[in-house]
Amino acid sequence: MTEIHDAISSSPNGLRRRDFLKGAAVAVAGIGLLPQLALAQGAIVALVHTQAAGDNGPVDSMIAKLNAIAAERGFTPRIVYASDAATYETIFRTLGDAGAAVIVSTFNEVAEAFKALAPEYPDTKWIQLFGDPIEPSLPNVVTVSYDYYLGCYLSGLFGAMMSPLGKLGYIGGISLPPLNADANAIKAAMTTVKPDATLTVAFAGSFQDPAKGQEIATQMYKNGVDYIQTDSAATDAGIIAAANEIPGKLVSGISPAQYKLGPKSVAAIVSLDFGQSLYNEVAATLKDGWKGGHTKTGLGTGVIDFILSPVFVDQGDPALVAKAKEVWPKIEEARARILDGSLAVPFNTTL
Amino acid sequence: MIDFIVAVLRSGTPLVYVALAGMIAQRAGLWHLGLEGIMIIGCCATIIGIVLTGSYALAILIACVLCILASMLLWFVIEKLKANPIIAGLGLTGFGVGGTALAAQSIFGSQAAVTAPFGAPRLGDSFGAFASLSIFVAAMPAVVALLWVLLRRTRFGLQLAACGEHPFAARSLGIDPERIRLFALCVGGVLCAIGGAELASGSLQIFAQNMTAGRGFMGFAAVVFGAAHPVWTALAALFFSLVGAIGIRAQILFGDAVPHDLLLALPYLATVLGVWISGRLRGGAKGANGFSELRDY
């Protein structure tokens, strides 16, 4: 009788159902204990990034700064890549169960999960970088927005002054409202320098497709564009590769890590230092009196700026470097006027 | 016009190589949904190989070996562990995408995408407007022709097709379908390695996580559209690239007059259209065993 039962409960490959169920139960129990094990190691500061690391930009910068502040303040860092929106809630809940002191994540796509879970984990401080304000605000959630378009405005001024014919390009990852606003800011700036200047806007459809970025940039350059502002994370590498192939073509990137990818082509960057912003916000949570709400970050905060590449100044075409140095005081002047409020930059999210 | 042809060849060549890998597997009776995973292994191994060895030939060799190993893993899971080939293929894709990200981070840290100091040899100035293309682009027509001869004009090609269409009949003639499929997947592994190498090092010299961005699945669609025929499959892959290049050009030319998202979706719309046309022409997709009415794995 037992033999018959064994024969029924065994698969053709010899795996007995009972053994399989026992193993599965042990595995499930182990997984259930994982948050408790993590808790035992000390306070956790977690970064849940929704774009892949290795982008030479925001994500890498945040990871580096998270590790830095964790080392300084004695936290245990946890870095989790959430590639799929369906996993957000599970990841945040697991971190909450593990007693995470601070959870940092990025972009509006995590807002719903934050709203749902933050009240359930009141002892955890939640930071959403690049997010809209949550209404009504939650006491343990801070959202941070960035006026990146102000940096793009300065890039538009610079590009229009650097391009002999006033032909500029903009390549974004995906057409999203903040990216559309960046493109519109460039357009608004360049027409103040050259009224007949043109901006060609294109999107790669992905923040992680350098081959597509190269394809688009090559076609733009062949069409006479002289200067492209990138806004597409890891896709930027392809745009810079395209600029490197045609002497005299320029790029404005998004991160200092891109200087080395195009010493002669990456003339400048519109820097959004996500890492510094993460550092600032996590450090703020440690201060007495911290409370949730919304923080707006723009020029003059150390997080957003338009920076001339020192590598380009050192290794770029001498004529282009001289031109860049010549026009730079005008960029500084525009920056000062934005900061003192005498220059208003339109925020337009419609292309 | 020449620039446009160059753009199509540049973006289409990786797709052609990967589609050819899927085509061979399809003829052997396997729906190869692991192309994406093996292709990204090829991308990653090529760039890491260049950085670590300083030799392009060694890097390609490493990429080929790793892609063959991944193909052998797929064969083992399907043939020996009797897993569903579609599920196994998708699993391999997940393994490839996740494994390469892990490998790049483990070796180089998480601070940057991996950039190689040089890439694939270029055709050079004697090729005029095509100078910037890599040697893999020039080799592509020859590879297609070679595969056509191999698959349509040799005893091995007929045995391969027999294993795909009527494995029991093939077995009755002393042919071992398992072994033939292993060989088909290994050849496909080499083609995926070349496709990945072309994507990562043909003109870019960089590996970024998930950089294949669905090209493996488009290659699989090209196999279906091209009816697993070497020439038609290659042309289908080039057609998808052509549509993609048109989408990019349309973005640049039409500006904001046409929604960017619609233009970006053109290659995928073309893929769906191609598969639909293929189904209408040939009476719809067959079962999971390729062309076969019989299951033999």
Side-chain angles (χ1 to χ4, degrees), chain A residues 63-147:
Chain A
I63 291 171
K65 287 290 187 178
L66 183 86
N67 286 326
I69 196 166
E72 282 173 23
R73 312 290 174 105
F75 286 120
T76 301
R78 286 282 181 273
I79 295 153
V80 184
Y81 175 33
S83 59
D84 174 9
T87 64
Y88 294 164
E89 188 163 335
T90 306
I91 291 169
F92 293 138
R93 194 177 286 283
T94 305
L95 289 166
D97 288 339
V102 182
I103 296 175
V104 186
S105 194
T106 50
F107 306 121
N108 278 324
E109 60 211 57
V110 301
E112 291 308 314
F114 267 40
K115 282 185 220 170
L117 295 177
E120 289 185 38
Y121 299 94
D123 296 332
T124 299
K125 290 167 179 166
W126 303 69
I127 299 169
Q128 185 193 349
L129 301 180
F130 217 122
D132 293 332
I134 292 177
E135 297 294 345
S137 66
L138 297 168
N140 58 334
V141 179
V142 70
T143 51
V144 185
S145 64
Y146 304 96
D147 291 337

Side-chain angles (χ1 to χ4, degrees), chain B residues 1 12 15-16 33 67 83 87 96 101 131 150 156 170 191 198 200-201 212 228 249 251 262 282-283 297:
Chain B
M1 185 61 187
L15 206 54
V16 169
L33 284 167
C67 288
I87 303 299
L150 178 72
F156 170 77
L191 291 167
E198 166 62 15
S201 69
T212 43
R249 184 150 287 211
Q251 276 201 79
L262 177 65
R282 282 180 288 277
Y297 50 81

